Amino acid sequence: MAVTLKLSQSGKKIIEQARKKKGFDADSTSWCQESYTRPATLKRFRAGIAISQDVFIKLCEAVGVNWEDVVDHSSPTSSQPEQLPEFSQYDQSWVGREQLLTELKHKIEGSCRVLIITGITGIGKTALAEKLVFDLREDWLKDNWTKFHSENFDNQNQASDFASVAVHWLEKWGQIVTLEDRKNPEQLLHRLVNFLSNHRYLIVMDSLELIMKGNEDEGWSDFEDEGWVKFFHALLASSICQSRLILTTQELPGQMPSRYKNFWDSKRLSGLEPPEQLALFEKTGLEIDLSSDYSPYLERIGQAYEGHPLALRVISGEIGDKPFFGNVVAYWNTYGKEIEEVEKAIAEAKEQGIIQGANDQWKLDRYTGNLRKRVRSRLEITFSRLEKDAFNAYLLLCSASIYRCAVTPDYWLSLLEDDCGEEEQEIALETLRDRFLFEDSLENQQYVIRQHNLIRSIALEYLKNMD
């Protein structure tokens, strides 16, 4: 986590004098532009609230002040940061999910040996897992970070088969692995399970879907390496287990044993709630004062993206960067028509009953370069894996993009009538369910399903290309 600094009391006076000499107003756009920061961050800086070290230094340099002369040296935020692992997603912009974190923390501290966090890409699975680790550092890890390990299967430079990972883990934890051990996967399995059962470790296994393959005949995803199946079975079957594993995945493994359900659990992650969305915008430097004109636009953006954290962070970054420099209204005047397109379609579905819209022009995933690079590109990987592993499910996902709102599953299944039989249709729907590629709920005493707005944006385009 980044080092933060804040102004001392005498530093505030020095900065104010330098600001006036420079000719900057208190909330000067020029000051923000010269330091590549946002008005909300400038406001916190002048108020003596801690901000990141890099931005603190730039703001001082912009008015010709040596930052070391104005920093609050007595503040714990300006001292050396706590020695934490380098989390890839969790940072100081984290907001919300307090109740969920409490629930998951109790599971880990209880009997849950394997916790699986699921959901679509960019929804915050990795950040949640890392935040959970951070919250467990005192009670579970006893502030001993040598007992924590993170395994990211998105790292193409590391082998992901069970034997290779087992050797890596055992050697990292000071165990001698002989050449004979390396040649005997069963021996490695026994040693690793025995070690984890008798020692307290906390392990995050990220992007688990990358070591699984789709099973189009049965509808779920299986581990490509049978060693992983045996590992999880043995770990859950063990009479004791002191270690805990947190898995993040877009696809629920179909081989987790139901007979040990007391020892493993899964939690589907959804988007941030409206208050959390505004809190995220504020944490990332935007002004959300209710007296300003900004909040209503930010609320509409958050609603259109259904609280998708990655998309909202990208948008917040675009608003805070040049040429907008925190001007939400200017951003809306430039790109708001894309949000209005979504709002219009949803309103027509609710008010007029127009549930189909194959010609809708939704571009939530790509109306700016950053959204294409950081949001769309990740979602396209999901579509590509689905097309390869389960084509009927891929076809169903694209075809169902004609629906603007939630409908009963029969509406979706009818779209495959000319392509496959009833059993294959049901398997295709189960595949999408196991990969969390639709949202489900109860409306008017009926079970209904719908696509997340971001998923629909891409699926509509893919459907047009099919036609």
PDB file of all heavy atoms in Angstrom, residues 312-340:
ATOM      1  N   LEU A 312     -15.955   1.468 -13.133  1.00  0.00           N
ATOM      2  CA  LEU A 312     -16.095   2.745 -12.431  1.00  0.00           C
ATOM      3  C   LEU A 312     -14.734   3.359 -12.118  1.00  0.00           C
ATOM      4  O   LEU A 312     -14.574   4.584 -12.165  1.00  0.00           O
ATOM      5  CB  LEU A 312     -16.899   2.553 -11.147  1.00  0.00           C
ATOM      6  CG  LEU A 312     -18.345   2.061 -11.326  1.00  0.00           C
ATOM      7  CD1 LEU A 312     -19.091   2.102  -9.997  1.00  0.00           C
ATOM      8  CD2 LEU A 312     -19.089   2.894 -12.367  1.00  0.00           C
ATOM      9  N   ARG A 313     -13.738   2.547 -11.811  1.00  0.00           N
ATOM     10  CA  ARG A 313     -12.390   3.067 -11.567  1.00  0.00           C
ATOM     11  C   ARG A 313     -11.803   3.661 -12.852  1.00  0.00           C
ATOM     12  O   ARG A 313     -11.153   4.709 -12.829  1.00  0.00           O
ATOM     13  CB  ARG A 313     -11.474   1.959 -11.054  1.00  0.00           C
ATOM     14  CG  ARG A 313     -11.580   1.706  -9.554  1.00  0.00           C
ATOM     15  CD  ARG A 313     -10.680   0.533  -9.178  1.00  0.00           C
ATOM     16  NE  ARG A 313     -10.666   0.324  -7.738  1.00  0.00           N
ATOM     17  CZ  ARG A 313      -9.645   0.619  -6.953  1.00  0.00           C
ATOM     18  NH1 ARG A 313      -8.556   1.160  -7.459  1.00  0.00           N
ATOM     19  NH2 ARG A 313      -9.695   0.367  -5.661  1.00  0.00           N
ATOM     20  N   VAL A 314     -12.016   2.974 -13.968  1.00  0.00           N
ATOM     21  CA  VAL A 314     -11.521   3.481 -15.246  1.00  0.00           C
ATOM     22  C   VAL A 314     -12.169   4.825 -15.565  1.00  0.00           C
ATOM     23  O   VAL A 314     -11.496   5.791 -15.953  1.00  0.00           O
ATOM     24  CB  VAL A 314     -11.800   2.466 -16.375  1.00  0.00           C
ATOM     25  CG1 VAL A 314     -11.497   3.082 -17.746  1.00  0.00           C
ATOM     26  CG2 VAL A 314     -10.943   1.216 -16.181  1.00  0.00           C
ATOM     27  N   ILE A 315     -13.480   4.904 -15.395  1.00  0.00           N
ATOM     28  CA  ILE A 315     -14.204   6.145 -15.684  1.00  0.00           C
ATOM     29  C   ILE A 315     -13.753   7.256 -14.742  1.00  0.00           C
ATOM     30  O   ILE A 315     -13.538   8.402 -15.164  1.00  0.00           O
ATOM     31  CB  ILE A 315     -15.721   5.907 -15.580  1.00  0.00           C
ATOM     32  CG1 ILE A 315     -16.177   5.010 -16.728  1.00  0.00           C
ATOM     33  CG2 ILE A 315     -16.490   7.231 -15.590  1.00  0.00           C
ATOM     34  CD1 ILE A 315     -17.598   4.532 -16.607  1.00  0.00           C
ATOM     35  N   SER A 316     -13.600   6.934 -13.456  1.00  0.00           N
ATOM     36  CA  SER A 316     -13.142   7.931 -12.498  1.00  0.00           C
ATOM     37  C   SER A 316     -11.768   8.472 -12.892  1.00  0.00           C
ATOM     38  O   SER A 316     -11.500   9.678 -12.802  1.00  0.00           O
ATOM     39  CB  SER A 316     -13.086   7.328 -11.090  1.00  0.00           C
ATOM     40  OG  SER A 316     -12.654   8.282 -10.153  1.00  0.00           O
ATOM     41  N   GLY A 317     -10.896   7.580 -13.358  1.00  0.00           N
ATOM     42  CA  GLY A 317      -9.577   8.003 -13.797  1.00  0.00           C
ATOM     43  C   GLY A 317      -9.638   8.914 -15.006  1.00  0.00           C
ATOM     44  O   GLY A 317      -8.889   9.887 -15.108  1.00  0.00           O
ATOM     45  N   GLU A 318     -10.559   8.610 -15.926  1.00  0.00           N
ATOM     46  CA  GLU A 318     -10.709   9.453 -17.109  1.00  0.00           C
ATOM     47  C   GLU A 318     -11.237  10.835 -16.746  1.00  0.00           C
ATOM     48  O   GLU A 318     -10.793  11.846 -17.301  1.00  0.00           O
ATOM     49  CB  GLU A 318     -11.655   8.777 -18.099  1.00  0.00           C
ATOM     50  CG  GLU A 318     -11.070   7.532 -18.745  1.00  0.00           C
ATOM     51  CD  GLU A 318     -12.017   6.884 -19.728  1.00  0.00           C
ATOM     52  OE1 GLU A 318     -13.248   7.004 -19.547  1.00  0.00           O
ATOM     53  OE2 GLU A 318     -11.533   6.260 -20.675  1.00  0.00           O
ATOM     54  N   ILE A 319     -12.188  10.876 -15.807  1.00  0.00           N
ATOM     55  CA  ILE A 319     -12.736  12.169 -15.395  1.00  0.00           C
ATOM     56  C   ILE A 319     -11.663  13.000 -14.693  1.00  0.00           C
ATOM     57  O   ILE A 319     -11.573  14.220 -14.878  1.00  0.00           O
ATOM     58  CB  ILE A 319     -13.944  11.968 -14.460  1.00  0.00           C
ATOM     59  CG1 ILE A 319     -15.094  11.275 -15.211  1.00  0.00           C
ATOM     60  CG2 ILE A 319     -14.436  13.309 -13.906  1.00  0.00           C
ATOM     61  CD1 ILE A 319     -16.268  10.910 -14.322  1.00  0.00           C
ATOM     62  N   GLY A 320     -10.845  12.353 -13.894  1.00  0.00           N
ATOM     63  CA  GLY A 320      -9.825  13.084 -13.141  1.00  0.00           C
ATOM     64  C   GLY A 320      -8.643  13.520 -13.964  1.00  0.00           C
ATOM     65  O   GLY A 320      -7.923  14.454 -13.592  1.00  0.00           O
ATOM     66  N   ASP A 321      -8.430  12.874 -15.099  1.00  0.00           N
ATOM     67  CA  ASP A 321      -7.264  13.188 -15.929  1.00  0.00           C
ATOM     68  C   ASP A 321      -7.624  14.272 -16.956  1.00  0.00           C
ATOM     69  O   ASP A 321      -8.777  14.668 -17.091  1.00  0.00           O
ATOM     70  CB  ASP A 321      -6.809  11.908 -16.632  1.00  0.00           C
ATOM     71  CG  ASP A 321      -5.349  11.975 -17.060  1.00  0.00           C
ATOM     72  OD1 ASP A 321      -4.724  13.035 -16.880  1.00  0.00           O
ATOM     73  OD2 ASP A 321      -4.855  10.956 -17.589  1.00  0.00           O
ATOM     74  N   LYS A 322      -6.604  14.756 -17.643  1.00  0.00           N
ATOM     75  CA  LYS A 322      -6.866  15.751 -18.679  1.00  0.00           C
ATOM     76  C   LYS A 322      -7.685  15.123 -19.803  1.00  0.00           C
ATOM     77  O   LYS A 322      -7.557  13.916 -20.048  1.00  0.00           O
ATOM     78  CB  LYS A 322      -5.569  16.337 -19.213  1.00  0.00           C
ATOM     79  CG  LYS A 322      -4.612  15.316 -19.853  1.00  0.00           C
ATOM     80  CD  LYS A 322      -3.347  16.002 -20.339  1.00  0.00           C
ATOM     81  CE  LYS A 322      -2.426  14.987 -20.988  1.00  0.00           C
ATOM     82  NZ  LYS A 322      -1.175  15.580 -21.451  1.00  0.00           N
ATOM     83  N   PRO A 323      -8.571  15.810 -20.471  1.00  0.00           N
ATOM     84  CA  PRO A 323      -8.792  17.258 -20.373  1.00  0.00           C
ATOM     85  C   PRO A 323      -9.846  17.668 -19.342  1.00  0.00           C
ATOM     86  O   PRO A 323     -10.136  18.847 -19.218  1.00  0.00           O
ATOM     87  CB  PRO A 323      -9.301  17.590 -21.780  1.00  0.00           C
ATOM     88  CG  PRO A 323     -10.097  16.388 -22.158  1.00  0.00           C
ATOM     89  CD  PRO A 323      -9.347  15.210 -21.572  1.00  0.00           C
ATOM     90  N   PHE A 324     -10.419  16.689 -18.602  1.00  0.00           N
ATOM     91  CA  PHE A 324     -11.551  17.023 -17.731  1.00  0.00           C
ATOM     92  C   PHE A 324     -11.126  17.531 -16.357  1.00  0.00           C
ATOM     93  O   PHE A 324     -11.798  18.366 -15.756  1.00  0.00           O
ATOM     94  CB  PHE A 324     -12.467  15.803 -17.586  1.00  0.00           C
ATOM     95  CG  PHE A 324     -12.981  15.286 -18.894  1.00  0.00           C
ATOM     96  CD1 PHE A 324     -12.485  14.109 -19.438  1.00  0.00           C
ATOM     97  CD2 PHE A 324     -13.932  15.986 -19.604  1.00  0.00           C
ATOM     98  CE1 PHE A 324     -12.943  13.626 -20.655  1.00  0.00           C
ATOM     99  CE2 PHE A 324     -14.405  15.522 -20.824  1.00  0.00           C
ATOM    100  CZ  PHE A 324     -13.905  14.337 -21.345  1.00  0.00           C
ATOM    101  N   PHE A 325     -10.024  16.965 -15.811  1.00  0.00           N
ATOM    102  CA  PHE A 325      -9.497  17.389 -14.514  1.00  0.00           C
ATOM    103  C   PHE A 325     -10.594  17.484 -13.443  1.00  0.00           C
ATOM    104  O   PHE A 325     -10.714  18.468 -12.723  1.00  0.00           O
ATOM    105  CB  PHE A 325      -8.745  18.716 -14.621  1.00  0.00           C
ATOM    106  CG  PHE A 325      -7.458  18.611 -15.387  1.00  0.00           C
ATOM    107  CD1 PHE A 325      -7.358  19.140 -16.665  1.00  0.00           C
ATOM    108  CD2 PHE A 325      -6.362  17.948 -14.844  1.00  0.00           C
ATOM    109  CE1 PHE A 325      -6.174  19.024 -17.379  1.00  0.00           C
ATOM    110  CE2 PHE A 325      -5.178  17.837 -15.557  1.00  0.00           C
ATOM    111  CZ  PHE A 325      -5.087  18.369 -16.823  1.00  0.00           C
ATOM    112  N   GLY A 326     -11.414  16.435 -13.368  1.00  0.00           N
ATOM    113  CA  GLY A 326     -12.425  16.342 -12.320  1.00  0.00           C
ATOM    114  C   GLY A 326     -13.766  16.942 -12.666  1.00  0.00           C
ATOM    115  O   GLY A 326     -14.697  16.893 -11.845  1.00  0.00           O
ATOM    116  N   ASN A 327     -13.932  17.504 -13.848  1.00  0.00           N
ATOM    117  CA  ASN A 327     -15.195  18.128 -14.249  1.00  0.00           C
ATOM    118  C   ASN A 327     -16.150  17.049 -14.758  1.00  0.00           C
ATOM    119  O   ASN A 327     -16.105  16.646 -15.922  1.00  0.00           O
ATOM    120  CB  ASN A 327     -14.953  19.184 -15.326  1.00  0.00           C
ATOM    121  CG  ASN A 327     -16.182  20.039 -15.577  1.00  0.00           C
ATOM    122  OD1 ASN A 327     -17.308  19.550 -15.523  1.00  0.00           O
ATOM    123  ND2 ASN A 327     -15.955  21.315 -15.832  1.00  0.00           N
ATOM    124  N   VAL A 328     -17.040  16.589 -13.865  1.00  0.00           N
ATOM    125  CA  VAL A 328     -17.953  15.492 -14.185  1.00  0.00           C
ATOM    126  C   VAL A 328     -18.946  15.911 -15.271  1.00  0.00           C
ATOM    127  O   VAL A 328     -19.279  15.112 -16.161  1.00  0.00           O
ATOM    128  CB  VAL A 328     -18.697  15.032 -12.917  1.00  0.00           C
ATOM    129  CG1 VAL A 328     -19.709  13.946 -13.252  1.00  0.00           C
ATOM    130  CG2 VAL A 328     -17.711  14.528 -11.865  1.00  0.00           C
ATOM    131  N   VAL A 329     -19.424  17.142 -15.211  1.00  0.00           N
ATOM    132  CA  VAL A 329     -20.413  17.609 -16.185  1.00  0.00           C
ATOM    133  C   VAL A 329     -19.816  17.614 -17.591  1.00  0.00           C
ATOM    134  O   VAL A 329     -20.468  17.209 -18.569  1.00  0.00           O
ATOM    135  CB  VAL A 329     -20.929  19.012 -15.810  1.00  0.00           C
ATOM    136  CG1 VAL A 329     -21.896  19.525 -16.873  1.00  0.00           C
ATOM    137  CG2 VAL A 329     -21.626  18.981 -14.454  1.00  0.00           C
ATOM    138  N   ALA A 330     -18.565  18.068 -17.706  1.00  0.00           N
ATOM    139  CA  ALA A 330     -17.909  18.076 -19.013  1.00  0.00           C
ATOM    140  C   ALA A 330     -17.756  16.655 -19.554  1.00  0.00           C
ATOM    141  O   ALA A 330     -17.941  16.405 -20.750  1.00  0.00           O
ATOM    142  CB  ALA A 330     -16.543  18.757 -18.910  1.00  0.00           C
ATOM    143  N   TYR A 331     -17.433  15.709 -18.667  1.00  0.00           N
ATOM    144  CA  TYR A 331     -17.315  14.305 -19.080  1.00  0.00           C
ATOM    145  C   TYR A 331     -18.668  13.792 -19.557  1.00  0.00           C
ATOM    146  O   TYR A 331     -18.767  13.112 -20.588  1.00  0.00           O
ATOM    147  CB  TYR A 331     -16.806  13.452 -17.916  1.00  0.00           C
ATOM    148  CG  TYR A 331     -16.583  12.003 -18.265  1.00  0.00           C
ATOM    149  CD1 TYR A 331     -15.380  11.575 -18.811  1.00  0.00           C
ATOM    150  CD2 TYR A 331     -17.574  11.058 -18.042  1.00  0.00           C
ATOM    151  CE1 TYR A 331     -15.168  10.246 -19.141  1.00  0.00           C
ATOM    152  CE2 TYR A 331     -17.385   9.716 -18.360  1.00  0.00           C
ATOM    153  CZ  TYR A 331     -16.173   9.325 -18.913  1.00  0.00           C
ATOM    154  OH  TYR A 331     -15.975   8.011 -19.231  1.00  0.00           O
ATOM    155  N   TRP A 332     -19.724  14.132 -18.814  1.00  0.00           N
ATOM    156  CA  TRP A 332     -21.066  13.684 -19.188  1.00  0.00           C
ATOM    157  C   TRP A 332     -21.464  14.275 -20.539  1.00  0.00           C
ATOM    158  O   TRP A 332     -22.056  13.574 -21.375  1.00  0.00           O
ATOM    159  CB  TRP A 332     -22.077  14.071 -18.118  1.00  0.00           C
ATOM    160  CG  TRP A 332     -23.466  13.584 -18.444  1.00  0.00           C
ATOM    161  CD1 TRP A 332     -24.419  14.222 -19.166  1.00  0.00           C
ATOM    162  CD2 TRP A 332     -24.018  12.306 -18.089  1.00  0.00           C
ATOM    163  NE1 TRP A 332     -25.541  13.445 -19.275  1.00  0.00           N
ATOM    164  CE2 TRP A 332     -25.325  12.270 -18.629  1.00  0.00           C
ATOM    165  CE3 TRP A 332     -23.542  11.224 -17.357  1.00  0.00           C
ATOM    166  CZ2 TRP A 332     -26.167  11.167 -18.453  1.00  0.00           C
ATOM    167  CZ3 TRP A 332     -24.377  10.130 -17.189  1.00  0.00           C
ATOM    168  CH2 TRP A 332     -25.668  10.100 -17.727  1.00  0.00           C
ATOM    169  N   ASN A 333     -21.171  15.544 -20.752  1.00  0.00           N
ATOM    170  CA  ASN A 333     -21.521  16.174 -22.030  1.00  0.00           C
ATOM    171  C   ASN A 333     -20.807  15.514 -23.200  1.00  0.00           C
ATOM    172  O   ASN A 333     -21.282  15.563 -24.337  1.00  0.00           O
ATOM    173  CB  ASN A 333     -21.183  17.667 -21.993  1.00  0.00           C
ATOM    174  CG  ASN A 333     -22.099  18.449 -21.074  1.00  0.00           C
ATOM    175  OD1 ASN A 333     -23.216  18.011 -20.774  1.00  0.00           O
ATOM    176  ND2 ASN A 333     -21.630  19.604 -20.601  1.00  0.00           N
ATOM    177  N   THR A 334     -19.675  14.874 -22.914  1.00  0.00           N
ATOM    178  CA  THR A 334     -18.905  14.203 -23.968  1.00  0.00           C
ATOM    179  C   THR A 334     -19.379  12.768 -24.199  1.00  0.00           C
ATOM    180  O   THR A 334     -19.533  12.328 -25.337  1.00  0.00           O
ATOM    181  CB  THR A 334     -17.410  14.191 -23.610  1.00  0.00           C
ATOM    182  OG1 THR A 334     -16.968  15.530 -23.362  1.00  0.00           O
ATOM    183  CG2 THR A 334     -16.584  13.590 -24.745  1.00  0.00           C
ATOM    184  N   TYR A 335     -19.623  12.032 -23.104  1.00  0.00           N
ATOM    185  CA  TYR A 335     -19.917  10.603 -23.224  1.00  0.00           C
ATOM    186  C   TYR A 335     -21.277  10.186 -22.656  1.00  0.00           C
ATOM    187  O   TYR A 335     -21.644   9.018 -22.734  1.00  0.00           O
ATOM    188  CB  TYR A 335     -18.830   9.785 -22.507  1.00  0.00           C
ATOM    189  CG  TYR A 335     -17.450   9.962 -23.087  1.00  0.00           C
ATOM    190  CD1 TYR A 335     -16.418  10.500 -22.326  1.00  0.00           C
ATOM    191  CD2 TYR A 335     -17.171   9.591 -24.399  1.00  0.00           C
ATOM    192  CE1 TYR A 335     -15.145  10.664 -22.847  1.00  0.00           C
ATOM    193  CE2 TYR A 335     -15.902   9.748 -24.931  1.00  0.00           C
ATOM    194  CZ  TYR A 335     -14.894  10.287 -24.148  1.00  0.00           C
ATOM    195  OH  TYR A 335     -13.643  10.440 -24.677  1.00  0.00           O
ATOM    196  N   GLY A 336     -22.010  11.133 -22.093  1.00  0.00           N
ATOM    197  CA  GLY A 336     -23.257  10.779 -21.429  1.00  0.00           C
ATOM    198  C   GLY A 336     -24.299  10.149 -22.327  1.00  0.00           C
ATOM    199  O   GLY A 336     -25.176   9.410 -21.862  1.00  0.00           O
ATOM    200  N   LYS A 337     -24.216  10.393 -23.634  1.00  0.00           N
ATOM    201  CA  LYS A 337     -25.206   9.824 -24.551  1.00  0.00           C
ATOM    202  C   LYS A 337     -25.172   8.298 -24.522  1.00  0.00           C
ATOM    203  O   LYS A 337     -26.191   7.642 -24.783  1.00  0.00           O
ATOM    204  CB  LYS A 337     -24.961  10.319 -25.972  1.00  0.00           C
ATOM    205  CG  LYS A 337     -23.606   9.978 -26.563  1.00  0.00           C
ATOM    206  CD  LYS A 337     -23.459  10.578 -27.953  1.00  0.00           C
ATOM    207  CE  LYS A 337     -22.104  10.229 -28.579  1.00  0.00           C
ATOM    208  NZ  LYS A 337     -20.984  10.819 -27.797  1.00  0.00           N
ATOM    209  N   GLU A 338     -24.002   7.718 -24.212  1.00  0.00           N
ATOM    210  CA  GLU A 338     -23.909   6.253 -24.130  1.00  0.00           C
ATOM    211  C   GLU A 338     -24.691   5.738 -22.923  1.00  0.00           C
ATOM    212  O   GLU A 338     -25.332   4.678 -22.991  1.00  0.00           O
ATOM    213  CB  GLU A 338     -22.445   5.821 -24.035  1.00  0.00           C
ATOM    214  CG  GLU A 338     -21.542   6.381 -25.130  1.00  0.00           C
ATOM    215  CD  GLU A 338     -21.958   5.957 -26.525  1.00  0.00           C
ATOM    216  OE1 GLU A 338     -22.750   4.999 -26.656  1.00  0.00           O
ATOM    217  OE2 GLU A 338     -21.498   6.597 -27.495  1.00  0.00           O
ATOM    218  N   ILE A 339     -24.642   6.465 -21.818  1.00  0.00           N
ATOM    219  CA  ILE A 339     -25.406   6.090 -20.632  1.00  0.00           C
ATOM    220  C   ILE A 339     -26.899   6.281 -20.906  1.00  0.00           C
ATOM    221  O   ILE A 339     -27.730   5.441 -20.521  1.00  0.00           O
ATOM    222  CB  ILE A 339     -24.982   6.937 -19.415  1.00  0.00           C
ATOM    223  CG1 ILE A 339     -23.461   6.900 -19.222  1.00  0.00           C
ATOM    224  CG2 ILE A 339     -25.709   6.467 -18.159  1.00  0.00           C
ATOM    225  CD1 ILE A 339     -22.901   5.562 -18.910  1.00  0.00           C
ATOM    226  N   GLU A 340     -27.247   7.365 -21.562  1.00  0.00           N
ATOM    227  CA  GLU A 340     -28.657   7.649 -21.857  1.00  0.00           C
ATOM    228  C   GLU A 340     -29.256   6.587 -22.765  1.00  0.00           C
ATOM    229  O   GLU A 340     -30.443   6.264 -22.657  1.00  0.00           O
ATOM    230  CB  GLU A 340     -28.771   9.030 -22.503  1.00  0.00           C
ATOM    231  CG  GLU A 340     -28.461  10.165 -21.525  1.00  0.00           C
ATOM    232  CD  GLU A 340     -28.325  11.520 -22.204  1.00  0.00           C
ATOM    233  OE1 GLU A 340     -28.223  11.535 -23.454  1.00  0.00           O
ATOM    234  OE2 GLU A 340     -28.330  12.541 -21.497  1.00  0.00           O
TER     235      GLU A 340
END
